[in-house]
Amino acid sequence: MTYRLYPVADDFEARIRILRADEGGRLSPPRNGIRWDFAYAERSGDLELFMIWPDFMLPSGDSWACDVPLPVDQMLLARMSVLNDTLRLQVHRPRIRPGLRFHCHEGPKVVAVGEVTRITGLDLARPAVA
């Protein structure tokens, strides 16, 4: 069985590159479980941030350990989960597709960049939690 960080089904997969400090990124590398905010790269107007959290994964499909710093300036695989069900249906389902570029934010600061690689559960009904 594959170890996953979050108990909810993921909505899509992405490649994410954590920015180096000299690119405006973090001074210290994050760990899996980081709760960055998500923003569409091609936004227009005001910055809109959404709760879409990454679960960084190893090539085996297991989640990256939470006690190990994530590598900076490398493409990392991640399962992405949209937390707000209403926004999941109304905003993200029609918009998120493979190839879509996005930013990961800590407040207004971009700390990582990503690209959607595959839709997994976004187009499916989310199972009810018992």
Side-chain angles (χ1 to χ4, degrees), residues 20-43:
R20 300 182 315 268
D22 67 330
E23 294 177 290
R26 298 170 53 97
L27 296 178
S28 61
R31 298 171 191 272
N32 202 16
I34 188 87
R35 294 180 175 180
W36 285 323
D37 290 318
F38 175 101
Y40 290 95
E42 76 284 344
R43 67 184 170 90

Side-chain angles (χ1 to χ4, degrees), residues 27-129:
L27 296 178
S28 61
R31 298 171 191 272
N32 202 16
I34 188 87
R35 294 180 175 180
W36 285 323
D37 290 318
F38 175 101
Y40 290 95
E42 76 284 344
R43 67 184 170 90
S44 60
D46 294 334
L47 176 63
E48 285 186 285
L49 298 175
F50 301 97
M51 291 188 308
I52 302 177
W53 293 347
D55 173 10
F56 289 95
M57 62 181 173
L58 299 166
S60 66
D62 286 330
S63 291
W64 197 284
C66 294
D67 60 348
V68 177
L70 295 165
V72 174
D73 199 27
Q74 293 180 27
M75 284 299 191
L76 303 172
L77 300 175
R79 287 183 282 265
M80 306 293 287
S81 298
V82 179
L83 299 189
N84 183 303
D85 284 335
T86 301
L87 293 177
R88 180 178 181 262
L89 297 174
Q90 296 175 359
V91 174
H92 305 301
R93 186 179 278 176
R95 202 164 174 192
I96 293 177
R97 296 286 175 255
L100 179 104
R101 296 185 183 278
F102 61 90
H103 299 149
C104 299
H105 283 254
E106 290 181 3
K109 183 178 179 176
V110 175
V111 294
V113 295
E115 181 178 338
V116 175
T117 57
R118 182 168 79 101
I119 303 300
T120 54
L122 186 61
D123 293 329
L124 305 173
R126 181 163 280 161
V129 178

